[in-house]
Amino acid sequence: MEMEKTGAGVAVLSAKEAFEKLEKVGEGTYGKVYRAREKATGKIVALKKTRLHEDQEGVPPTTLREVSILRMLSRDPHVVRLMDVKQGQNKEGKTVLYLVFEYMDTDLKKFIRSFRQTGQSIPPQTIKSLMYQLCKGIAFCHGHGILHRDLKPHNLLMDRKTMMLKIADLGLARAFTVPIKKYTHEILTLWYRAPEVLLGATHYSMAVDIWSVGCIFAELVTKQALFAGDSELQQLLHIFRLLGTPNEEVWPGVSKLKDWHEYPQWNPKSLSTAVPGLDELGLDLLSQMLEYEPSKRISAKKAMEHAYFNDLDKGHL
Amino acid sequence: MPLHHHLFLEETKMAHRYPKPLLDTLYCLEDHIHWEEEEQVDYNEYSNTTTTNTNSSNVVLLEHDLFWDHEELPSLLAKEHQNQLSNTLLQNNLVLASSREEAVEWILKVNARYSFSTLTAVLAVNYLDRFLFSFRFQNDNNDNNNNNNPWLTQLSAVACLSLAAKFEETHVPLFIDLQLEESKYLFEAKTVKRMEILVLSTLGWKMILVTPLHS
């Protein structure tokens, strides 16, 4: 068969031959994640397995985007490094893709949970360092025309020893063009979802990631999700109770968004009531991340320049 | 900016980037191009207004979306280099140039049929050219004759358009629906799937492209 002969021209080292699986460490959208050792070097890596047999229409769009985007972004220290892509076959002989990543021993979700369990607060300088790295990584993505769109503590990998933070799981990320096209609506994890997305905007931009960053910032301080809704409506109501129900004055155009309707009218409360323990500069930065109007929300690059980070030693970040 | 002048600039950009056959086939998509121009006009109007007028503009551009930092241009130029290799290949192989022209025409027809964006078509043609160049290079070294099979070019076109649509569009037709537009060959889903993986590994999964639509 011609196709077989063509395919044979590309030499592919089997993933089974190259790696020894040590343990399963997670389950992603399209398959499992393993801690593994590369036999040739002894190096520990994370293998993300993507099954193709369940999708008869070839390579899934999320895998295509994740790999292409990571191929472009992996040189930033705050984006998880994709080392290789390998083809293999599973027990039933179906084609499998293995994404080979640098291994990171924990994520921000586990990190926050460990402090919640002991009852201790995360040290303020640790919060500041993690937030700076997050802003820097997101600024790098945005500077290369990439929206993440699913920022949450689980997607922020960490090394406990060095306290380095890396952005992962860019499977939902998109390279954006001008004008920004409509994107699918039901994408972002609810708790970190920007209000314009909840209200049905389909043209949106880097500001959706900044909203998520703001929610993560508050969660680092309080160890609880800032807005923990269990439906889109409840998510909006959580936001409105704290920041006040938006109107045309604070957010021009809000009442024309597709999913807008009448809501209970709340007045804004001070952010310090929801995020006790954060200092004035931190509260100011947080408030700029949680601006209702997307065009007024601070950019990641500007956030890095905010006075909140002035006393942080940035030399090693 | 006068509309005819704008159109001339667009043609100049495209002429710089692609051989003439692509420009010729673009004329068949006159209505589609006109729609794109309408959007471009909106973009210009938005840039020129002092105050944001979100009620009338379809273009949602935030202030900091428009700012370039120092790193972006070298990054774009570095990405640009990989796209420049394909033209010499076509000049030296008339049979391949002919099947490539047919494949490009097919891509543009399917693109129009599904109302895909111009960027999807640009991506698909870029993937095709890079793949044909790289694949031809490999086969020259191996001294075999696969490089002149027109079915291979058409299969590559199906895989490349599918990959471009997956990357750029929100709804992607099935492989079989993608091939409704007439061509000499009809490929099974499993064949297109294997070709997709071959294209991706041949291109090193570098699927993000610098185009005029980015700037």
Side-chain angles (χ1 to χ4, degrees):
Chain A
M1 176 186 296
E2 295 280 15
M3 192 57 220
E4 292 290 358
K5 192 157 78 166
T6 301
V10 177
V12 179
L13 179 61
S14 161
K16 283 176 184 167
E17 292 160 5
F19 297 95
E20 175 194 1
K21 282 177 183 167
L22 300 174
E23 62 186 328
K24 188 177 112 174
V25 296
E27 192 105 27
T29 309
Y30 278 93
K32 300 178 175 71
V33 182
Y34 300 90
R35 190 168 73 97
R37 180 184 297 119
E38 186 176 29
K39 291 176 185 174
T41 63
K43 187 168 187 173
I44 300 295
V45 298
L47 287 185
K48 186 167 174 176
K49 183 180 176 184
T50 298
R51 297 165 294 198
L52 297 189
H53 70 275
E54 288 183 4
D55 181 349
Q56 288 306 312
E57 295 297 309
V59 179
T62 50
T63 300
L64 177 63
R65 290 178 189 143
E66 180 169 21
V67 177
S68 305
I69 286 166
L70 284 169
R71 292 283 280 132
M72 187 172 73
L73 297 178
S74 275
R75 59 189 179 84
D76 186 77
H78 302 295
V79 177
V80 70
R81 185 164 157 249
L82 175 69
M83 293 154 59
D84 204 354
V85 181
K86 290 198 182 293
Q87 295 174 59
Q89 292 198 325
N90 66 8
K91 287 162 189 150
E92 299 104 55
K94 304 286 187 171
T95 304
V96 181
L97 289 177
Y98 288 95
L99 279 52
V100 186
F101 288 97
E102 65 179 317
Y103 182 74
M104 304 287 286
D105 60 4
T106 191
D107 61 52
L108 200 60
K109 183 179 178 182
K110 291 175 190 152
F111 182 75
I112 292 172
R113 188 199 293 141
S114 69
F115 278 87
R116 193 162 61 232
Q117 283 166 354
T118 62
Q120 295 171 330
S121 290
I122 300 171
Q125 283 304 104
T126 300
I127 294 173
K128 195 167 290 192
S129 171
L130 293 173
M131 280 303 300
Y132 187 81
Q133 294 179 69
L134 177 53
C135 291
K136 186 164 180 256
I138 288 300
F140 184 81
C141 292
H142 290 177
H144 285 76
I146 302 296
L147 305 181
H148 188 291
R149 291 196 300 163
D150 195 24
L151 287 172
K152 56 190 179 185
H154 183 62
N155 287 340
L156 300 173
L157 305 185
M158 282 179 67
D159 183 307
R160 270 181 212 276
K161 258 180 276 179
T162 61
M163 282 293 147
M164 288 294 286
L165 176 142
K166 291 175 190 262
I167 297 164
D169 209 345
L170 284 104
L172 299 177
R174 285 280 300 234
F176 60 83
T177 56
V178 178
I180 295 158
K181 297 178 60 181
K182 296 184 178 185
Y183 294 126
T184 52
H185 178 55
E186 307 82 14
I187 291 288
L188 299 178
T189 302
L190 215 51
W191 292 359
Y192 307 93
R193 190 176 295 186
E196 64 269 25
V197 182
L198 294 164
L199 288 167
T202 55
H203 296 69
Y204 48 86
S205 177
M206 303 184 297
V208 301
D209 284 338
I210 299 302
W211 180 275
S212 305
V213 170
C215 296
I216 291 163
F217 188 11
E219 188 166 341
L220 281 166
V221 179
T222 67
K223 301 169 295 184
Q224 303 285 347
L226 180 61
F227 305 120
D230 55 15
S231 70
E232 287 196 12
L233 176 61
Q234 287 301 321
Q235 189 64 26
L236 278 172
L237 298 187
H238 274 285
I239 294 167
F240 295 171
R241 271 186 212 107
L242 177 62
L243 302 182
T245 308
N247 53 42
E248 286 293 322
E249 188 174 340
V250 301
W251 183 355
V254 66
S255 60
K256 294 177 180 60
L257 290 173
K258 181 167 70 71
D259 294 336
W260 174 263
H261 56 266
E262 292 302 310
Y263 298 96
Q265 294 297 303
W266 286 288
N267 290 320
K269 296 174 187 167
S270 169
L271 275 180
S272 61
T273 64
V275 195
L278 185 58
D279 60 33
E280 278 308 309
L281 286 172
L283 286 168
D284 180 75
L285 176 57
L286 180 60
S287 70
Q288 295 191 55
M289 291 175 167
L290 299 179
E291 276 279 351
Y292 270 132
E293 192 176 359
S295 61
K296 287 180 179 164
R297 220 168 280 157
I298 194 169
S299 71
K301 200 173 180 197
K302 286 278 187 235
M304 291 169 67
E305 298 161 10
H306 192 278
Y308 170 70
F309 295 118
N310 280 0
D311 64 347
L312 178 67
D313 173 15
K314 309 181 183 73
H316 67 293
L317 297 177
Chain B
M1 176 182 291
L3 200 59
H4 68 276
H5 184 51
H6 178 77
L7 180 61
F8 174 76
L9 284 180
E10 286 296 325
E11 284 191 23
T12 304
K13 284 182 182 177
M14 295 299 286
H16 178 70
R17 188 171 299 276
Y18 288 104
K20 191 145 175 58
L22 180 61
L23 280 183
D24 290 339
T25 55
L26 281 176
Y27 295 136
C28 301
L29 301 175
E30 183 174 347
D31 291 340
H32 186 63
I33 290 171
H34 182 67
W35 179 82
E36 292 291 329
E37 285 169 15
E38 289 294 312
E39 284 203 343
Q40 289 300 318
V41 170
D42 282 346
Y43 168 74
N44 290 329
E45 286 171 357
Y46 178 88
S47 299
N48 291 331
T49 53
T50 307
T51 57
T52 303
N53 189 354
T54 54
N55 291 330
S56 63
S57 176
N58 288 325
V59 179
V60 182
L61 282 178
L62 305 182
E63 184 175 351
H64 42 67
D65 286 347
L66 296 172
F67 293 154
W68 283 56
D69 63 30
H70 301 300
E71 203 173 297
E72 288 185 41
L73 191 58
S75 171
L76 291 175
L77 287 174
K79 285 184 255 175
E80 172 81 13
H81 178 70
Q82 67 187 350
N83 302 331
Q84 294 171 351
L85 303 172
S86 303
N87 288 342
T88 52
L89 169 65
L90 293 174
Q91 291 159 22
N92 294 330
N93 187 329
L94 293 182
V95 173
L96 180 59
S98 171
S99 61
R100 181 225 176 242
E101 186 171 342
E102 280 181 36
V104 170
E105 189 164 339
W106 178 85
I107 286 173
L108 295 175
K109 282 181 188 172
V110 178
N111 212 73
R113 165 187 256 272
Y114 285 104
S115 300
F116 291 159
S117 71
T118 300
L119 180 57
T120 297
V122 171
L123 284 176
V125 173
N126 174 266
Y127 299 161
L128 178 67
D129 286 344
R130 285 162 59 205
F131 178 72
L132 293 178
F133 173 80
S134 187
F135 203 68
R136 167 59 189 270
F137 185 75
Q138 289 173 36
N139 280 291
D140 281 352
N141 287 348
N142 294 337
D143 292 321
N144 70 44
N145 296 320
N146 281 341
N147 48 302
N148 283 331
N149 285 323
W151 66 264
L152 185 58
T153 305
Q154 178 61 26
L155 175 57
S156 306
V158 178
C160 291
L161 181 57
S162 172
L163 291 170
K166 286 176 178 179
F167 198 84
E168 190 55 32
E169 303 293 336
T170 52
H171 297 292
V172 183
L174 300 180
F175 288 146
I176 205 73
D177 293 335
L178 213 55
Q179 301 180 74
L180 291 181
E181 205 63 45
E182 11 174 323
S183 80
K184 295 172 190 167
Y185 314 98
L186 181 65
F187 301 103
E188 284 183 83
K190 65 179 182 179
T191 304
V192 181
K193 172 177 164 181
R194 281 170 11 202
M195 179 55 86
E196 273 193 347
I197 296 175
L198 179 60
V199 169
L200 285 166
S201 59
T202 300
L203 301 188
W205 290 78
K206 293 178 177 174
M207 315 307 284
I208 294 175
L209 182 69
V210 179
T211 72
L213 298 171
H214 276 106
S215 51

